[in-house]
């Protein structure tokens, strides 16, 4: 890279992974089959779905030895570690005209997680905002039963007015958790253990009453496999030391297929749920007034449970309810309703020809509507009469964050802008005149000004035009020799937008290129764009991703020998589907926590929930079955074919996408794939879907992953 100013540790002579042929551990096979619509599918590694199977344990030990052998070839471990550490040396300085936020709008308490090297566990610390010293609230060693276990602090909710905190805590990254409540004035724990919740459980306070959702206790030994069922909303009174949780709302669907969620704001409980009428499920929004002693959620809106329908409450002001929706508006619009008039809506802000992403409260009397158009965020600020007050165009290739203000009396607020090549930078917005200015300056150990993000357009297999972010040095020579990391996700209507990763920053600092295509299945161009890569159209997302690689090669950004693809969760499915369909296109694949057996994905944990059934379908339906089988990575491995060098990463206690997906896929890849390519597995110990929980585990995983990446791309540090 030109104008590269960082001082790096230089080394050469990276030991290559390549050899003539790998001798992979052989996994035992069983004569197991599954029958779908009279078609018999062999599943010889189905026993790997049982984490206690002795054959599996022995095979995993052999795989661990194989991976350690690859790790020993990383002769420059300390140099890579030092360089990644250098990337974290970001300095932030307040600007001269920085205005400090009014203390009455600052949070009263702060919390942080802290690794305790003496106990080998993660503690949770807290302090008053205006104090220097941190106090220990939760000792991780009191949660775990052995040094091999890891603590995960999930959702945390602080009640500032009552000095209370509720924390969801799990072990080894499981989505299953317990909740605990503490007094932040004394640090003492209340005598309640909130059982059978999830780490993502919404913990909401109303005075000294805590609202939360919990499930039926899972069967022993099935915690990592079964779908959570019988979801119920509870209220717990902290005023009574012997109080029992009071059920407020029970999910009418006890199977766990249909979900519900809620939030609380200004004494209003908003419940987003499903109702069944004559065998048909509908979406519904109900509202409860928490000022009433015996409240009952009152049905406010009922609307079709269709894939392209979104309707969500974004702000309540008096009796006025502002909602974001895609009903009759795929790009999104804002509706207005009245709390006292159910099922009556009027248009407040119309649909425009750009995608509406967020509708946010901005102080006492404004709404901020954040749009996305061709890789650019646009903020339209309205008053509560629907009149446009200001339009702000933000830079292309960057992302607007935190553009809201919940406090009615605030005169200023802060927002940030993120990028693929620099950390978020903060700005201050005057809520009266809507002018903004930098709140700080940042300096990083490389030349930010030498980098840029391009937003290009390419054509997919069916002729659809797709956009892609390409982040690189401004003076990159397009000679087909550049190392490229292409990242993808492409599911659930989720858009991968510009955000900074320190490890990816190191790739850019070494002249590498980061490519992120906005493929169908994501939400880059509204709800229709998401639907175009969902369920029976999932192949569109895969085709879009493959076409992105072809574009990079055709336009001389790189070559197949310099192109590595990476994805996690749904993105891992995406990259492995692309790799099994077009193996010659990519040099290597990094896939983390992905579902690869799509014919059995629906049988475990969240795979059978409505969200995933809408995303993928079910093999119990003939059309879905044929479609799932057509792209399921496990079922599309061909004997003797050379697949890209592959690094699979999984947590051994992942109960969202169970690790057996990675085990079965690797076993078949090593059995049938050309053994001249490297196919191996890195297991992050004691971790769930979110990744490593111990600092050392996280460091080790990052270093292994990036050594593999740099080796495959031919980058010399």
């Amino acid at each position: 890279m030109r104008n590269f100013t960082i001082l790096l540790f230089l080394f050469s002579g990276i030991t290559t992974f390549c050899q003539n042929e790998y001798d992979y551990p052989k996994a035992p096979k069983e004569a197991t089959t599954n029958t779908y619509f009279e078609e018999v599918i062999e599943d010889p590694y189905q026993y790997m779905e049982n984490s206690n199977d002795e054959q599996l344990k022995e095979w995993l030990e052999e795989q661990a030895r194989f991976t350690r052998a690859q790790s020993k070839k990383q002769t420059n471990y300390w140099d890579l570690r030092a360089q990644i550490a250098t990337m974290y040396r970001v300095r932030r300085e307040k600007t001269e005209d920085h205005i400090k936020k009014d203390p009455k709008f600052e949070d009263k308490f702060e919390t942080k997680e802290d690794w305790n090297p003496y106990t080998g566990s993660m503690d949770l610390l807290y302090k008053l905002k205006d104090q220097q010293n941190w106090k220990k609230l939760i000792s991780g060693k009191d949660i775990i039963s052995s040094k091999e276990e890891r603590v995960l602090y999930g959702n945390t909710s602080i009640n500032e007015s009552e000095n209370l905190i509720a924390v969801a805590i799990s072990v080894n990254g499981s989505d299953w958790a317990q909740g605990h409540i503490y007094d932040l004035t004394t640090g003492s724990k209340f005598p309640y253990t909130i059982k059978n919740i999830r780490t993502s459980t919404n913990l909401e306070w109303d005075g000294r009453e805590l609202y939360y959702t919990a499930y039926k206790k899972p069967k022993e030994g099935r915690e990592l496999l079964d779908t959570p069922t019988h979801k119920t909303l509870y209220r717990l009174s902290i005023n009574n030391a012997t109080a029992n949780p009071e059920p407020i709302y029970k999910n009418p669907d006890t199977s766990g297929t249909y979900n519900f969620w809620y939030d609380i704001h200004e004494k209003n409980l908003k419940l987003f749920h499903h109702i069944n009428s004559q065998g048909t499920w509908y979406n519904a929004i109900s509202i409860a007034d928490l000022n009433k002693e015996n409240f009952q959620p009152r049905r406010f809106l009922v609307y079709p449970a269709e894939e392209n329908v979104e309707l969500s409450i974004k702000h309540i002001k008096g009796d006025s309810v502002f909602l974001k929706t895609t009903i009759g508006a795929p790009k999104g619009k804002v509706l207005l309703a009245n709390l006292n008039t159910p099922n009556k809506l009027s248009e407040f802000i119309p649909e425009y020809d750009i995608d509406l992403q967020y509708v946010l409260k901005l102080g006492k009397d404004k709404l901020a509507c954040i749009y996305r158009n061709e890789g650019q965020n646009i903020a339209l600020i309205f008053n509560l009469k629907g009149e446009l007050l200001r339009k702000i165009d933000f830079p292309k290739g960057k992302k607007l964050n935190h553009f809201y203000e919940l406090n009615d009396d605030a005169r200023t607020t802060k927002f940030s802008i993120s990028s693929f090549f620099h950390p978020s930078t903060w700005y201050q917005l005057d809520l009266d005149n809507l002018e903004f200015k930098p709140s700080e300056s940042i300096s990083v150990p490389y030349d930010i000004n030498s980098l840029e993000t391009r937003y290009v357009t390419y054509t997919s297999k069916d002729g659809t035009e797709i956009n892609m972010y390409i982040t690189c040095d401004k003076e990159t020579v397009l000679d087909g020799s550049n190392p490229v990391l292409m990242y993808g996700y492409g599911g659930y209507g989720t858009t991968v937008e510009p955000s900074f990763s320190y490890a990816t920053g190191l790739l850019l600092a070494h002249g590498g290129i980061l490519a992120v295509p906005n493929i169908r299945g994501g939400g880059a161009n509204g709800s229709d764009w998401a639907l175009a890569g969902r369920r029976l159209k999932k192949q569109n997302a895969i085709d879009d991703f493959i076409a992105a690689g072809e574009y990079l090669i055709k336009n001389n950004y790189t070559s197949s020998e310099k192109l590595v693809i990476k994805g996690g969760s749904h993105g891992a499915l995406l990259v492995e589907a692309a790799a099994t369909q077009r193996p010659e296109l990519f040099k290597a694949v990094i896939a983390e926590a992905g579902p690869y057996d799509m014919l059995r994905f629906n049988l475990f944990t969240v795979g059978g929930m409505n969200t995933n059934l809408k995303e993928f379908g079910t093999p119990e339906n003939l059309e879905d079955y044929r479609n799932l089988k057509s792209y399921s990575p496990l079922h599309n491995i061909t004997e003797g074919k050379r697949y890209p060098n592959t690094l699979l990463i999984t947590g051994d206690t992942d109960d969202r996408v169970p690790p057996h997906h990675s085990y079965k896929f690797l076993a078949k890849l090593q059995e049938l794939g050309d053994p001249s390519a490297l196919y191996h597995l890195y297991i992050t110990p004691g971790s769930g879907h979110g990744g490593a929980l111990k600092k050392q585990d996280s460091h080790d995983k990052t270093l292994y992953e990036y050594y593999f990446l740099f080796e495959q791309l031919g980058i010399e540090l």
Side-chain angles (χ1 to χ4, degrees):
M1 174 192 288
R2 297 186 175 99
N3 302 321
F4 181 55
T5 59
I6 183 174
L7 294 176
L8 297 174
F9 292 81
L10 301 176
F11 66 86
S12 59
I14 298 177
T15 305
T16 181
F17 278 123
C18 298
Q19 61 183 49
N20 291 332
E21 191 170 292
Y22 290 96
D23 184 17
Y24 292 117
K26 287 183 171 51
K29 298 174 69 174
E30 295 183 349
T32 307
T33 61
N34 304 303
T35 301
Y36 304 91
F37 302 98
E38 300 183 356
E39 182 177 8
V40 177
I41 302 294
E42 293 183 356
D43 194 2
Y45 302 119
Q46 193 172 118
Y47 66 88
M48 292 184 173
E49 295 171 358
N50 176 11
S51 61
N52 294 316
D53 187 275
E54 291 302 324
Q55 296 178 105
L56 172 63
K57 290 179 179 179
E58 292 179 11
W59 180 76
L60 287 175
E61 288 175 1
E62 293 177 350
Q63 292 295 335
R65 284 192 289 271
F66 181 86
T67 300
R68 283 196 297 271
Q70 303 308 310
S71 182
K72 289 178 181 178
K73 299 176 183 179
Q74 299 180 358
T75 55
N76 295 289
Y77 171 95
W78 292 106
D79 293 318
L80 179 59
R81 179 171 178 165
Q83 293 199 22
I84 290 177
T86 302
M87 300 301 293
Y88 285 84
R89 294 174 190 166
V90 177
R91 189 172 63 200
R92 297 180 179 271
E93 296 181 358
K94 305 296 183 187
T95 56
E96 290 184 7
D97 54 0
H98 170 79
I99 301 174
K100 190 173 182 180
K101 194 172 184 179
D102 189 327
K104 68 182 177 182
F105 301 130
E106 293 280 356
D107 292 334
K108 186 176 178 181
F109 294 98
E110 283 186 283
T111 62
K112 73 173 182 178
E113 296 179 20
D114 182 63
W115 175 251
N116 190 327
Y118 300 104
T119 62
S121 63
M122 193 72 74
D123 297 335
L124 186 66
L125 310 183
Y126 76 104
K127 74 177 183 69
L128 283 165
K129 198 90 171 190
D130 57 357
Q131 293 182 351
Q132 295 296 318
N133 296 327
W134 291 88
K135 299 178 183 179
K136 185 184 295 185
L137 183 68
I138 304 175
S139 176
K141 70 178 179 62
D142 295 336
I143 307 295
I144 59 177
S145 57
S146 70
K147 288 186 176 181
E148 284 68 42
E149 292 184 335
R150 281 95 168 141
V151 176
L152 171 66
Y153 299 104
N155 272 4
T156 298
S157 179
I158 296 178
N159 184 333
E160 299 274 356
S161 61
E162 299 289 342
N163 302 322
L164 299 170
I165 184 172
V167 186
I169 306 172
S170 76
V171 175
N172 286 349
S174 171
D175 280 346
W176 286 106
Q178 288 188 348
H180 300 280
I181 302 169
Y182 297 84
D183 186 331
L184 290 174
T185 58
T186 63
S188 59
K189 181 178 177 294
F190 283 86
Y192 311 108
T193 298
I194 305 172
K195 299 180 179 180
N196 304 322
I197 66 173
R198 309 285 278 175
T199 53
S200 59
T201 289
N202 195 17
L203 304 165
E204 293 267 7
W205 290 100
D206 176 52
R208 293 182 68 81
E209 293 181 331
L210 179 69
Y211 292 79
Y212 65 91
T213 52
Y215 298 81
K216 183 179 179 180
K217 183 179 179 180
K219 293 180 181 178
E220 188 173 349
R222 298 286 302 180
E223 295 88 349
L224 302 185
L225 298 174
D226 287 347
T227 301
T229 63
H230 295 79
K231 186 175 184 179
T232 303
L233 173 62
Y234 291 94
R235 174 174 58 185
L236 177 65
S237 175
I238 310 303
N239 290 315
N240 186 346
T242 60
N244 291 316
E246 175 190 0
I248 299 299
Y249 174 79
K250 294 184 178 181
N251 194 345
D253 170 42
T254 58
S255 69
T257 301
Y258 290 91
N259 204 349
F260 76 86
W261 60 98
Y262 78 101
D263 65 36
I264 294 174
H265 183 62
E266 296 181 351
K267 306 298 287 187
N268 284 305
L269 184 148
K270 294 170 287 185
L271 184 66
F272 303 88
H273 57 118
H274 297 83
I275 59 173
N276 190 300
S277 177
Q278 297 181 342
T280 300
W281 286 96
Y282 295 89
N283 292 330
I285 300 176
S286 296
I287 297 178
D289 185 350
L290 299 185
N291 285 311
K292 296 181 179 179
E293 185 175 346
N294 296 310
F295 75 90
Q296 183 68 28
R298 176 168 52 94
R299 195 162 297 162
F300 178 57
L301 291 172
V302 178
Y303 56 101
E306 297 174 2
E307 286 189 308
N308 61 340
V309 168
E310 176 201 341
L311 187 66
S312 55
I313 296 175
K314 296 303 178 184
H315 180 48
I316 298 177
K317 182 75 170 180
D319 292 335
S320 297
V321 183
F322 300 88
L323 306 102
K324 177 179 180 287
T325 187
T326 57
I327 296 176
K331 297 288 187 181
K333 64 181 178 181
V334 181
L335 300 177
L336 178 63
N338 188 287
L339 281 174
N340 303 311
T341 312
N343 285 316
K344 187 174 182 180
L345 301 168
S346 61
E347 186 174 85
F348 183 70
I349 299 171
E351 179 187 26
Y352 297 117
D353 60 355
I354 53 179
D355 178 37
L356 175 60
Q357 291 189 296
Y358 309 105
V359 178
L360 304 162
K361 178 183 177 183
L362 192 63
K364 182 179 181 179
D365 55 3
K366 299 179 182 70
L367 287 179
C369 293
I370 311 303
Y371 295 83
R372 186 178 185 280
N373 183 43
E374 297 292 319
Q376 178 182 28
N377 280 142
I378 299 168
L380 299 185
I381 303 173
F382 298 88
N383 63 22
L384 298 187
K385 296 179 182 179
E387 298 168 338
L388 179 62
L389 302 177
R390 185 173 181 194
K391 176 188 176 187
I392 306 174
D393 295 293
F394 292 93
K396 264 197 173 186
K398 301 197 177 186
K399 183 178 183 295
L400 175 64
N401 309 289
H402 311 104
F403 201 83
Y404 65 90
E405 178 55 62
L406 300 180
N407 294 296
D408 284 349
D409 298 329
R411 302 295 298 275
T412 64
T413 193
K414 293 199 301 182
F415 65 88
S416 71
I417 295 177
S418 59
S419 161
F420 286 117
F421 58 87
H422 67 71
S424 292
T425 54
W426 287 89
Y427 295 79
Q428 191 157 277
L429 175 70
D430 187 307
L431 293 173
D432 292 325
N433 60 28
L434 300 179
E435 297 294 330
F436 63 94
K437 57 191 174 184
S439 178
E440 66 177 4
S441 61
I442 65 168
S443 59
V444 296
Y446 56 91
D447 184 5
I448 290 177
N449 295 322
S450 69
L451 295 162
E452 67 179 359
T453 295
R454 304 168 184 176
Y455 199 67
V456 303
T457 300
Y458 66 92
T459 303
S460 190
K461 182 178 181 180
D462 64 358
T464 302
E465 289 193 344
I466 315 293
N467 297 120
M468 176 163 53
Y469 294 108
I470 300 177
T471 302
C472 60
D473 190 284
K474 292 177 181 176
E475 299 182 23
T476 295
V477 178
L478 301 184
D479 59 3
S481 66
N482 299 297
V484 173
L485 173 64
M486 189 167 74
Y487 179 86
Y489 189 76
Y492 304 101
T494 300
T495 305
V496 181
E497 296 184 282
S499 62
F500 183 70
S501 160
Y502 291 97
T504 303
L506 185 62
L507 169 71
L508 297 171
H510 279 283
I513 294 174
L514 175 66
V516 181
N518 281 324
I519 63 179
R520 284 172 286 183
N525 296 314
S527 60
D528 285 350
W529 193 254
L531 289 175
R534 185 175 295 170
R535 201 168 182 169
L536 297 176
K537 298 179 180 178
K538 184 61 65 179
Q539 185 62 42
N540 284 341
I542 302 165
D543 288 341
D544 293 352
F545 191 75
I546 290 171
E550 293 172 335
Y551 171 90
L552 292 167
I553 294 170
K554 181 179 178 180
N555 288 272
N556 292 320
Y557 277 95
T558 191
S559 66
S560 292
E561 284 299 304
K562 291 279 190 173
L563 179 57
V564 173
I565 54 176
K566 177 182 177 181
S569 194
H570 183 283
L573 163 66
L574 170 76
V575 297
E576 287 298 1
T580 52
Q581 292 181 23
R582 289 292 303 279
E584 77 290 348
L585 191 62
F586 313 107
K587 175 66 180 292
V589 183
I590 301 173
E592 182 168 5
Y596 310 120
D597 181 353
M598 296 309 297
L599 296 185
R600 293 177 65 79
F601 175 61
N602 66 308
L603 299 180
F604 303 101
T605 63
V606 300
M609 285 187 169
N610 189 50
T611 300
N612 284 314
L613 295 178
K614 289 196 296 185
E615 186 69 32
F616 303 109
T618 169
E620 296 172 8
N621 172 285
L622 178 59
E623 196 174 18
D624 282 335
Y625 161 68
R626 289 171 175 167
N627 183 59
L628 288 164
K629 181 171 174 275
S630 72
Y631 69 81
S632 175
L634 180 70
H635 300 93
N636 284 279
I637 297 173
T638 302
E639 185 171 7
K641 186 167 288 187
R642 193 183 196 283
Y643 294 98
N645 296 325
T646 300
L647 171 59
L648 298 175
I649 303 172
T650 189
D652 57 6
T653 53
D654 188 345
D655 54 1
R656 198 175 313 171
V657 179
H660 64 246
H661 281 276
S662 297
Y663 304 159
K664 293 171 70 174
F665 183 67
L666 178 68
K668 190 170 182 180
L669 196 58
Q670 290 182 342
E671 176 199 357
L672 299 181
D674 183 337
S676 67
L678 174 63
Y679 318 122
H680 67 318
L681 172 70
Y682 187 97
I683 296 178
T684 311
S687 68
H689 202 64
L693 300 177
K694 281 188 176 182
K695 281 189 175 180
Q696 190 58 50
D697 293 340
S698 180
H699 292 163
D700 291 346
K701 176 204 152 192
T702 300
L703 287 165
Y704 192 91
E705 178 183 340
Y706 270 80
Y707 200 102
F708 174 80
L709 172 65
F710 278 34
E711 169 63 26
Q712 298 302 313
L713 291 175
I715 295 176
E716 292 189 2
L717 298 177

